[in-house]
Amino acid sequence: MKLKNGTVLTESGDKTVLVATGEAGKAFSGMIKLNSSAAFIAEKLKNDTDEDKIIAALLEKYDVTPEHAAESVMAVIAKLEGVGLIER
Amino acid sequence: MTDNQKELSSPGKTLDIKAALRECGFIVHGIKGVSMLPTLIEATDSVRLVPSDGIALRKYDIPLYTRRDGSLVLHRIIGRRKDGVWIIRGDNCLKKEYIPPERIIAVAEGYYRDGEYHPFSAPEAIKQARLAVAGHTAVVMKSYARRLKNRLKRK
């Protein structure tokens, strides 16, 4: 599972914004503003990975419970999948 | 980690450009049409736009502006009239447009192609901008010279 080619993470002040360009822009022509943890998850999705690996990385980086980490990862993946920016 | 994402548009819904510019300070948007070829390619490139007051611009900048019919256009500045109105034309267009500063919403900073960002401030992009404008003038002059030559031949 990974972000579609052309999906770009770019900075805007203290926020990260995910934008779809080129091929990815055909599926979604908008922008998604992400907080730091969501940006971290999206960053991991730049390369082929899976939910468990991202949850493990999130637990290592942030002081959160495994349940909370899993919930966040699933929410971000569901959102990105919903707008067609993830390929499996 | 709640409220960790905010979607500024949704599938099937057009991005509210003015709202997104206010919210984010910039937007990235795909290119439609061929009027800015060869600089910008439809369906391949996406431009990064920042808000503009329509005044602090320069020749070769590429502003986003509204036409009288409400449509949004992204073309290049090729000059400025004494009254402050911008003279604008697409790199692949013949017709000029005269746009007052108040109709300008944003200006392109650069573009994404194949996931890579290319700023318009890069030397290569500046060279391309000059070529686009100068090349166009050469094409128009050549066409004018050809027509003049044909007219003289007929006489």
Side-chain angles (χ1 to χ4, degrees):
Chain A
M1 169 178 60
K2 66 192 276 280
L3 286 173
K4 260 193 185 156
N5 279 345
T7 307
V8 174
L9 291 167
T10 182
E11 302 300 317
S12 165
D14 60 340
K15 296 273 181 193
T16 300
V17 178
L18 184 143
V19 294
T21 71
E23 191 61 35
K26 287 179 190 167
F28 176 65
S29 64
M31 300 160 66
I32 300 173
K33 218 162 155 183
L34 307 168
N35 72 2
S36 68
S37 58
F40 179 81
I41 295 164
E43 192 68 42
K44 294 288 164 203
L45 284 162
K46 278 183 174 176
N47 300 308
D48 199 19
T49 186
D50 61 39
E51 289 87 345
D52 292 343
K53 283 181 192 162
I54 304 174
I55 292 166
L58 199 67
L59 285 168
E60 218 169 273
K61 168 109 177 168
Y62 294 93
D63 185 20
V64 288
T65 62
E67 293 74 27
H68 200 167
E71 198 181 295
S72 293
V73 170
M74 296 308 179
V76 172
I77 291 171
K79 169 68 84 179
L80 297 178
E81 209 154 29
V83 293
L85 292 182
I86 286 193
E87 55 189 20
R88 289 185 185 262
Chain B
M1 278 191 283
T2 54
D3 189 28
N4 54 7
Q5 329 132 42
K6 183 173 183 183
E7 202 177 310
L8 295 169
S9 75
S10 52
K13 187 181 155 196
T14 310
L15 176 71
D16 182 341
I17 289 175
K18 286 183 184 172
L21 281 168
R22 271 196 307 274
E23 177 106 8
C24 274
F26 76 96
I27 61 160
V28 175
H29 206 279
I31 293 296
K32 281 180 188 164
V34 295
S35 63
M36 278 302 285
L37 279 173
T39 309
L40 296 168
I41 304 169
E42 182 178 23
T44 298
D45 298 344
S46 298
V47 281
R48 182 184 169 105
L49 299 151
V50 292
S52 168
D53 59 4
I55 297 164
L57 294 169
R58 289 179 304 180
K59 187 178 178 181
Y60 305 122
D61 280 348
I62 304 176
L64 179 76
Y65 57 94
T66 50
R67 281 186 175 147
R68 286 188 199 284
D69 64 3
S71 58
L72 287 166
V73 182
L74 186 77
H75 282 168
R76 190 185 298 282
I77 289 176
I78 58 168
R80 190 179 200 178
R81 286 196 327 211
K82 281 182 183 168
D83 60 1
V85 168
W86 294 105
I87 308 166
I88 295 177
R89 187 183 59 215
D91 288 354
N92 193 32
C93 298
L94 287 173
K95 203 178 161 194
K96 292 175 194 167
E97 285 189 273
Y98 298 90
I99 305 295
E102 60 272 18
R103 295 235 304 270
I104 290 174
I105 299 165
V107 61
E109 275 191 336
Y111 65 97
Y112 291 93
R113 183 175 294 166
D114 300 327
E116 260 188 53
Y117 185 61
H118 304 270
F120 285 126
S121 57
E124 199 51 42
I126 294 167
K127 196 175 153 191
Q128 159 126 23
R130 288 189 174 141
L131 272 174
V133 175
H136 186 277
T137 306
V139 167
V140 170
M141 284 176 72
K142 206 172 162 187
S143 154
Y144 179 74
R146 198 184 310 122
R147 271 186 287 161
L148 189 69
K149 198 176 161 188
N150 288 340
R151 203 178 295 166
L152 290 171
K153 258 188 195 172
R154 281 199 294 268
K155 281 183 179 175

